[in-house]
Amino acid sequence: MPLNRRTFLERSAAAGAGVAIAGATALPAGAAEQSHGHGHAPKRYSFTVMGTTDLHGNVFNWDYFTDREFDDKTHNDVGLAKISTLVEKIRKEKGRRNTLLIDAGDTIQGTQLSYYYAKVDPITAKHGPVHPMAQAMNAIGYDAAALGNHEFNYGIPVLRKFEEQCDFPLLGANALDAKTLRPAFRPYSMHRLRTPCGRDVKVAVLGLTNPGIAIWDKANVQGKMTFPGLEEQAAKWVPKLRSLGADVVIVSAHSGSSGTSSYGDQLPYIENAAGLVAEQVPGIDAILVGHAHTEIAEYFVANKETGKKVVLSEPLKWGQRLTLFDFDLVWEKGRWTVEKVGAQVLNSNTADEDPKITGLLGDEHKKVVAYVNQVIGTSTTAMTTADAPWKDEPIIDLINHVQAETVKAALAGGQYAALPVLSQASCFSRTAAIPAGQVTIRDAAGLYVFENTLEARLLTGGQLKDYLEFSARYYVQTPAGGPVDTSKLTNADNTPDYNYDAVSGLTYEIDIAGPAGSRIANLSFDGKPIDAAAQFVLAVNNYRASGGGNFPHVAKSQQLWANSEEIRNTIINWVKAKGTVDPAQFATAGWKLTRDGTPVF
């Protein structure tokens, strides 16, 4: 399928291209006529834009890794089946034709349901299935969705097939064809809302995606697409949308609001730029924020040029929240003007799953549950990640052992075969476990909840010391002598668990009594202090290797080998091949936390 099968020019030849009519004949909720002086009453109209983001393949309120209903410590629920119930409630309250429903990206990756229909029974196969997320979102009636970075994880053909299966446009004004520099997807959609009092309201939705795609999915997009900054493309498109008659401009941005980047200087663009877009680009009324996996019910940013306040809202990931943007418009000087706009979020744990959605995808759900419960081997003992954030646990050693073995085999017989192979791994889930006895696909897959792939990078001993010091920022500085509360020990400066790496093949201590940057002690290889100039091979995931987390040295280091197979599948295949998982064959005591030289645990 050609890359530019659906370019903007092909799909939006006329100025009014992409206009969807959502007519209304009844006065919407909140609409009213008030005295305007001289006996004239101004025309008013209200409507609501609903938004989701970072759905990550969640249709059902189900955790495929634990094989039970999803739950967390704050009792959130997940999935489009719950969102559907909330959406129908709002449509009933506001009037179906006085609402729009949009999404801010990261739709087709994240659960075993979405993995199954990308890899096991792929939608790209001849006479292949329709993606469950397309089925659900079509049934709910989405009007538009921005592209997320994880849309590119399975390659462009899968994304294009998903796009074809959706009844709504996938938007990405800053996803450009690398050769023509024209939009590779539709930049925007235009929606017409009929009012009971005058001219229709034209609502433009501009889609912006994350420039980090260029490094995170380099293997899939290099030479095919390029991803300039959000501010630059918003400044280009927002005036065009206004010139096309847009009364309201909404940006759906797969980009957080903090103005920061997790990959340092690897790209000249800001990863989390939604707040900067609001601040720097005039003419925007609201921004649906995605990517950061945080909840922002309502946040106002003043535009530097106009002083106008732009409202931002980010609903919590996986369908845990639904954002509502409520717009109040008034007819002034021959046009509709936004008089007021606010935002709020609804919690999906207040809703039942919509039987329309669960019934529609019940068979797909059953197929995936059967798939993940296939037995692939046995384990001699139970292992868990419960203590892995602060102890060297065998279950993390398993990941590192599989990765190191895989890299050693790949480099065998080559120039770098004689170098020692180290490996990095993170505790991606604090609830992952390998049981004693039978091990299933979901047990093994639960160790690695991301679709990362494996690389081999060349580093020196000195660079590895820097790498470990950076990783050790994860711990809150804790003076010697007092008690250690593990609930307050980790995630310093909001560092997520997936940005703390344990490195196997070395022995070292992390002195949490010391300041960040001066914590690694007794760093040794093969029983001797590490040689700063010595060369090592590091088995590392592609996210970290491409700059994710902004760890030092690794992104600029020499790549010796790379694999297209997900690490998750490598672990599954290793268990299948071995038949038995025995920690005695791979568990090591490589690192420990100390305070002034005294072990914490």
Side-chain angles (χ1 to χ4, degrees), residues 32-74:
E33 291 193 356
Q34 300 173 2
S35 175
H36 199 50
H38 307 291
H40 297 293
K43 300 171 184 177
R44 298 185 183 277
Y45 176 68
S46 299
F47 70 97
T48 296
V49 177
M50 297 172 282
T52 54
T53 191
D54 296 278
L55 293 169
H56 284 289
N58 284 279
V59 173
F60 298 85
N61 187 44
W62 192 260
D63 185 341
Y64 293 96
F65 292 124
T66 60
D67 200 27
R68 59 178 180 264
E69 186 173 289
F70 177 88
D71 194 21
D72 62 16
K73 61 184 179 181
T74 54

Side-chain angles (χ1 to χ4, degrees), residues 185-202:
F185 296 84
R186 287 178 62 174
Y188 71 91
S189 58
M190 193 78 80
H191 308 268
R192 193 184 298 273
L193 302 178
R194 287 183 178 159
T195 76
C197 46
R199 197 191 77 184
D200 296 348
V201 172
K202 291 176 72 174

